[in-house]
Amino acid sequence: MSATATRTAEQYCTFWVADLFFGVAVDEVQEVLRHQPMTPVPRADEAVTGLINLRGQIVTAVDLRVRLGLPPRAAEQVPMNVIVRSRGEVVSLLVDDIGDVIDPGRMGGVDAQPVPSNMPRGVQDVVRGVRPLPDAILLVLDADRAVDVATAPDNPGGNP
């Protein structure tokens, strides 16, 4: 049974934000959805794009581009939703594109490495480590830190 648990822990749901390749552990992901209509939240942090109605459940949508301090996506580019469970809540992470579920151990990737100090500060704050893969570098996202907009650097749109 522990071999199965280890294998599950090694699987990541992958996605792109700008030109960065992220993965979040599959056991933290509830589902992946196309763009959903959103209701804006007045006076919310700039990273909180709005609320979505997920089959009767109200879910906060956090734009990872804003959360990470990256340039905004093009107006014609519609974000995708990675629905994650964080601290007992369900939150949508708005991302640019969805990848596959991967198992770095089976792809010849090496064990997780520390986050390089030359990564942008906003990215360093939400990444647990990096997994070098044969054709990419996987940034392992910490979902709890990613949805915590109150700790975002320079929190320009946030409430005091």
Side-chain angles (χ1 to χ4, degrees), residues 114-149:
V115 181
S117 59
N118 64 343
M119 297 287 310
R121 175 72 183 173
V123 175
Q124 287 182 39
D125 290 343
V126 300
V127 173
R128 291 181 180 155
V130 297
R131 299 286 309 251
L133 302 175
D135 58 352
I137 300 292
L138 179 70
L139 303 171
V140 180
L141 188 76
D142 183 320
D144 290 342
R145 287 190 281 185
V147 302
D148 190 1
V149 295

Side-chain angles (χ1 to χ4, degrees), residues 90-106:
V90 177
V91 178
S92 172
L93 299 175
L94 297 180
V95 303
D96 295 344
D97 200 10
I98 302 297
D100 294 321
V101 172
I102 64 168
D103 183 340
R106 292 183 180 211

Side-chain angles (χ1 to χ4, degrees), residues 51-66:
L51 303 173
I52 62 174
N53 183 342
L54 185 62
R55 294 178 299 282
Q57 182 177 19
I58 303 303
V59 176
T60 302
V62 175
D63 190 330
L64 278 185
R65 275 186 176 261
V66 176

Side-chain angles (χ1 to χ4, degrees), residues 1-151:
M1 181 168 175
S2 64
T4 302
T6 302
R7 192 174 320 120
T8 301
E10 291 295 316
Q11 292 182 336
Y12 297 95
C13 172
T14 63
F15 53 89
W16 283 266
V17 178
D19 57 349
L20 301 173
F21 184 54
F22 288 95
V24 65
V26 294
D27 60 350
E28 296 177 8
V29 177
Q30 178 173 310
E31 61 189 299
V32 175
L33 301 168
R34 295 195 178 279
H35 180 69
Q36 299 292 304
M38 283 185 222
T39 302
V41 181
R43 304 186 70 185
D45 185 277
E46 182 181 15
V48 176
T49 303
L51 303 173
I52 62 174
N53 183 342
L54 185 62
R55 294 178 299 282
Q57 182 177 19
I58 303 303
V59 176
T60 302
V62 175
D63 190 330
L64 278 185
R65 275 186 176 261
V66 176
R67 171 65 176 93
L68 301 175
L70 299 171
R73 73 183 48 81
E76 68 277 358
Q77 187 180 16
V78 179
M80 305 282 285
N81 294 271
V82 176
I83 311 295
V84 297
R85 291 179 295 281
S86 171
R87 298 183 184 120
E89 294 184 33
V90 177
V91 178
S92 172
L93 299 175
L94 297 180
V95 303
D96 295 344
D97 200 10
I98 302 297
D100 294 321
V101 172
I102 64 168
D103 183 340
R106 292 183 180 211
M107 297 174 63
V110 299
D111 290 337
Q113 305 292 314
V115 181
S117 59
N118 64 343
M119 297 287 310
R121 175 72 183 173
V123 175
Q124 287 182 39
D125 290 343
V126 300
V127 173
R128 291 181 180 155
V130 297
R131 299 286 309 251
L133 302 175
D135 58 352
I137 300 292
L138 179 70
L139 303 171
V140 180
L141 188 76
D142 183 320
D144 290 342
R145 287 190 281 185
V147 302
D148 190 1
V149 295
T151 62

